[in-house]
Amino acid sequence: TILFRDILSRYEIRDVGFLSNLVHFLADNTGNITVAKRISDYMKTMGDSKTVSVILNYLHYLRDAYLVIFAPRYDIQGKKVFEQGGKYYFQDHGLRNSEVGFKPDDIGKLVETCVFNHLTARGFSVYVGVLKNLEIDFIAEKQGEKIYVQATYLLAGEKVIEREFGNLLKIKDQYPKYVVSMNPIKTTTSYQGIKHLTLLEFLQTDF
């Protein structure tokens, strides 16, 4: 219904197959950095070649219909938004899963989506952080303030803990920093000043 009424009819799109493949690609790549060129290359393997400018238009249509929300990349050191690339998240897990199904390996993606949707629902502008060669899952800004959030399925072992907390420790400002996971029992409440919240605790927090 969203595709046909809110997108195909409104924008008089006739290439239904291309739009369907594009939605499938975004559903399968939730939580991954996506650029239009990569989508174009994928579409060619599906036998449906489209220019980058056409793909950008279609992505804009999907965003306008609120099927997906876009999180652009933000250079923490340079303090600028990258013109290209970012992540697409579905506002509704059910719609996403109806397209590609649910796989146990996708739990991390769904945790990330929950965190992203909660931040946007609380009025934050949300970006994917870039710090040299590291990725910070989310930088959320609102009314001149910001928070940093790492989202992961489980803090399973010391290496994972060091990675998730360690990326945030490399950010040298004093804004709040959080690691969110689905650990049923907390392995730690904080790590060198960075708070650890379960996903449920995070979703109950009204920032």
Side-chain angles (χ1 to χ4, degrees):
T1 299
I2 292 173
L3 288 179
F4 280 92
R5 185 183 64 194
D6 294 346
I7 300 176
L8 293 175
S9 297
R10 179 183 301 177
Y11 299 104
E12 299 181 351
I13 295 173
R14 296 183 179 180
D15 196 342
V16 180
F18 172 75
L19 186 62
S20 178
N21 285 336
L22 178 59
V23 171
H24 184 91
F25 177 89
L26 295 178
D28 201 36
N29 286 274
T30 296
N32 295 333
I33 296 293
T34 300
V35 295
K37 178 63 168 61
R38 183 186 171 202
I39 297 175
S40 177
D41 292 341
Y42 165 78
M43 290 302 177
K44 287 179 182 177
T45 67
M46 302 292 291
D48 197 350
S49 180
K50 288 288 189 295
T51 65
V52 169
S53 61
V54 169
I55 290 171
L56 289 172
N57 285 337
Y58 275 64
L59 291 171
H60 179 73
Y61 302 155
L62 294 172
R63 290 163 63 181
D64 270 0
Y66 298 103
L67 184 67
V68 295
I69 308 178
F70 180 63
R73 293 185 301 155
Y74 181 84
D75 182 356
I76 296 174
Q77 284 192 323
K79 297 183 179 180
K80 65 177 182 180
V81 177
F82 287 95
E83 293 184 4
Q84 307 241 347
K87 295 185 179 184
Y88 288 87
Y89 294 95
F90 280 71
Q91 285 193 302
D92 188 309
H93 285 176
L95 292 179
R96 186 261 175 192
N97 290 346
S98 70
E99 180 63 30
V100 295
F102 173 77
K103 295 169 286 188
D105 289 345
D106 287 344
I107 294 178
K109 295 180 181 180
L110 299 183
V111 171
E112 199 171 310
T113 300
C114 283
V115 170
F116 175 80
N117 285 339
H118 182 68
L119 291 170
T120 56
R122 292 298 176 270
F124 284 96
S125 297
V126 185
Y127 305 90
V128 177
V130 178
L131 185 62
K132 294 184 179 179
N133 62 334
L134 299 177
E135 179 182 301
I136 306 301
D137 286 335
F138 300 116
I139 304 170
E141 297 183 341
K142 180 170 65 174
Q143 298 177 350
E145 299 294 325
K146 69 177 68 171
I147 62 174
Y148 299 97
V149 184
Q150 288 283 85
T152 186
Y153 172 32
L154 295 173
L155 292 174
E158 196 62 33
K159 287 186 177 179
V160 178
I161 292 174
E162 288 178 1
R163 182 188 69 230
E164 299 297 336
F165 287 90
N167 284 4
L168 293 175
L169 286 171
K170 289 180 172 63
I171 303 172
K172 299 306 180 183
D173 63 36
Q174 301 303 312
Y175 289 110
K177 301 173 179 68
Y178 302 90
V179 171
V180 179
S181 74
M182 287 188 66
N183 288 70
I185 300 175
K186 283 191 180 182
T187 56
T188 179
T189 57
S190 66
Y191 183 95
Q192 297 188 39
I194 297 173
K195 292 183 179 179
H196 172 217
L197 298 175
T198 65
L199 180 60
L200 181 59
E201 288 174 328
F202 183 80
L203 296 177
Q204 292 174 333
T205 301
D206 188 8
F207 294 99

